[in-house]
Amino acid sequence: MAGVIQLRTEIPGPHSRALLARRARAVPRGVPAVSPIAVVHAEGAVLTDADGNRLIDFAGGIGVVNTGHRHPAVVAAVRAQLDRYTHLCFPVSTYEPYVELAERLNRLTPGSHEKRTLLVNSGAEAVENAVKAARFFTGRQAVVCFEHGFHGRTNLALALTSKVMPYKKGFGPFAPEVYRIPFPYCYRCAEGPSDRSRSQCCMASRERLERIFAATVDPGSVAAIIMELELGEGGFVPAPLDYVRALAAFAREHGILFIADEIQTGFGRTGKLFACEHYGLVPDLITTAKSLAGGLPLAAVTGRADVLDAPQVGGLGGTYGGNPLACAAALAVLDAMEAERIPQRAQRTGDRITARFRAWAERHPCIGDVRGLGAMVGMELVTDRETRSPDKALTSRLLAAALERGVLLLSAGTCGNTVRILAPLTAPDALIDEGLDAVGEALEEVAQRE
Ligand SMILES: Cc1ncc(COP(=O)(O)O)c(C=O)c1O
């Protein structure tokens, strides 16, 4: 049977190159062009570029289209909403799609306590608002975040973000009262590389957490800890279960709110609707964005009613937050998550990807680690397994070789040496296999050149 990938020109072809040349003259270079292709159509997990090439999308708009490009129900919901109204400004006129989405997120997020949801436009904005509410509610100023964490590019979100190049360099001063502690990254543990089971973290004890805070910030002055339960941009590193449990207990004892940043992990990616479900964790606040609205810009802060109701009237909101088209799309996404059992499907797809990565790791010593929850799977490339020295150059070559074969793939990690897959979770097995075959061939080629 013919596959999905159809290449008519070299990648990038002449039309892609021409648009990228126009882009370079019109758009600041600070906005990265991670791939050199110009896309004219996207459907499911398939991209058609400006030269008529058909490619497999393993990037999913960086985790935005878990339900696939142009999911029919999402398209229909947005079309129907277009005929009603496209903007009213929620603080000015109330409309049902915003309220209904808030009700559904309040119901779907872990915990049966009373909740509220605030809708905003981007992940960074959700993070900023979660911190605002946590500070207001606790009357405390400090926020604790993690090494390797990514929370966005606005000033406070950037202060919480860890990676200096390219995100932070030259952009200071950053928002104050932000304290960073080590992420439980077993493969690169600060205590020395460890092969310990990931359910047994060496930082997962009360004493250890107390020592970490004693060297960083008084827990009594901390409003919130913000954590990605599996690092996204930081390299697809899931936090060990015992660490998260110990940290959540520590936070509770000290009156610190736990903000789970589920912007990349959310909406089925990890095999559950939210990653915190893997940990039995009920966060005080959850930030979501990306796949929430299946390709339309929307983000949310969902959590404890007492926390989110604390700020005064007018203290939260914005002109566009909870745009009606985006809300209609999100409601269709949530329907699809349930009807198509997308989180369960993600677990199966993830098992498929993990099996392939593990088989490659047996043949290629450049693969140092394979890890992830559900379909949020990554493999870390190293120059050799002893030193675990990150191999960013090889990672870049692998991405380029995969693209030449028709697969759009992304890297991640503070050292840029993790290959991550963010394919739409609706992609059929045959398409995932075809994409993995192409990545496998690309790996053979670049690993052989080593
Ligand atoms: C975990 C996490 N938080 C926050 C953000 C920022 O989201 P946005 O780019 O929508 O501002 C991202 C984006 O990649 C993310 O992965």
Side-chain angles (χ1 to χ4, degrees), residues 62 121-127 149-154 157 161 226 228 230-233 261-265 287 289-290 298-299 420:
I62 319 194
N121 301 293
S122 69
E125 206 186 337
V127 166
F150 183 89
H151 301 287
R153 287 180 170 88
T154 54
T161 286
I226 183 162
E228 295 163 86
E230 176 166 344
L231 292 173
E233 301 308 299
D261 183 340
E262 295 259 12
I263 287 166
Q264 194 154 158
T265 51
T287 53
K290 291 196 183 279
L298 186 67
R420 60 171 157 171

Side-chain angles (χ1 to χ4, degrees), residues 105-420:
L105 288 172
N106 294 345
R107 253 196 329 269
L108 288 168
T109 46
S112 54
H113 53 289
E114 199 175 340
K115 293 181 213 143
R116 300 282 185 267
T117 287
L118 165 74
L119 297 177
V120 289
N121 301 293
S122 69
E125 206 186 337
V127 166
E128 299 254 351
N129 277 283
V131 171
K132 268 171 73 174
R135 283 179 167 159
F136 195 103
F137 177 78
T138 58
R140 302 173 178 182
Q141 294 190 353
V143 184
V144 168
C145 59
F146 285 87
E147 287 170 7
H148 306 289
F150 183 89
H151 301 287
R153 287 180 170 88
T154 54
N155 189 261
L156 172 57
L158 193 52
L160 298 166
T161 286
S162 193
K163 191 168 168 177
V164 173
M165 259 312 267
Y167 304 127
K168 301 182 80 150
K169 189 172 153 60
F171 294 132
F174 302 110
E177 287 304 306
V178 168
Y179 300 88
R180 204 173 311 284
I181 62 175
F183 188 88
Y185 187 166
C186 297
Y187 185 67
R188 300 196 177 280
C189 179
E191 297 288 300
S194 136
D195 280 319
R196 271 210 256 184
S197 134
R198 290 191 181 105
S199 59
Q200 261 205 341
C201 171
C202 65
M203 291 190 293
S205 72
R206 211 203 135 82
E207 299 68 46
R208 193 60 207 284
L209 284 169
E210 259 162 20
R211 263 192 288 141
I212 289 170
F213 274 79
T216 314
V217 59
D218 165 25
S221 69
V222 177
I225 296 171
I226 183 162
M227 183 176 200
E228 295 163 86
L229 294 161
E230 176 166 344
L231 292 173
E233 301 308 299
F236 277 30
V237 185
L241 190 69
D242 57 350
Y243 178 85
V244 174
R245 291 209 170 132
L247 183 70
F250 181 87
R252 221 172 14 252
E253 278 167 44
H254 289 282
I256 300 171
L257 301 185
F258 199 116
I259 305 172
D261 183 340
E262 295 259 12
I263 287 166
Q264 194 154 158
T265 51
F267 302 105
R269 177 57 53 188
T270 67
K272 307 247 184 222
L273 199 57
F274 301 105
C276 52
E277 294 171 51
H278 287 281
Y279 296 86
L281 175 71
V282 180
D284 298 293
L285 299 173
I286 298 185
T287 53
T288 53
K290 291 196 183 279
S291 277
L292 166 61
L296 275 83
L298 186 67
V301 186
T302 302
R304 279 172 49 185
D306 53 347
V307 176
L308 286 170
D309 271 344
Q312 62 276 18
V313 173
L316 303 175
T319 304
Y320 288 117
N323 169 268
L325 298 173
C327 289
L331 290 167
V333 164
L334 294 180
D335 287 342
M337 285 280 148
E338 208 176 308
E340 295 169 37
R341 297 169 56 82
I342 287 176
Q344 293 85 337
R345 196 176 152 63
Q347 185 60 55
R348 289 199 303 278
T349 302
D351 291 345
R352 222 175 172 82
I353 299 168
T354 305
R356 196 70 83 92
F357 280 12
R358 293 233 162 95
W360 294 342
E362 278 175 24
R363 295 169 33 73
H364 298 291
C366 60
I367 299 175
D369 198 23
V370 173
R371 59 188 176 231
L373 299 170
M376 194 164 173
V377 189
M379 58 180 186
E380 187 161 340
L381 304 189
V382 292
T383 54
D384 78 272
R385 283 186 179 167
E386 276 302 301
T387 61
R388 303 187 175 189
S389 183
D391 202 338
K392 181 177 176 173
L394 180 66
T395 311
S396 303
R397 284 203 298 280
L398 175 57
L399 264 49
L403 190 65
E404 273 171 26
R405 288 169 171 77
V407 178
L408 180 60
L409 194 62
L410 296 175
S411 64
T414 306
C415 298
N417 67 316
T418 298
V419 175
R420 60 171 157 171

Side-chain angles (χ1 to χ4, degrees), residues 34-94:
V34 174
S35 87
I37 57 165
V39 171
V40 295
H41 189 81
E43 193 86 33
V46 182
L47 304 174
T48 305
D49 79 4
D51 296 285
N53 298 301
R54 256 190 9 212
L55 300 98
I56 287 182
D57 184 8
F58 273 3
I62 319 194
V64 168
V65 287
N66 286 358
T67 44
H69 293 281
R70 302 185 71 253
H71 187 291
V74 173
V75 171
V78 173
R79 281 214 173 105
Q81 184 57 44
L82 261 176
D83 288 336
R84 290 184 207 112
Y85 50 90
T86 59
H87 176 79
L88 296 169
C89 188
F90 192 72
V92 176
S93 308
T94 296

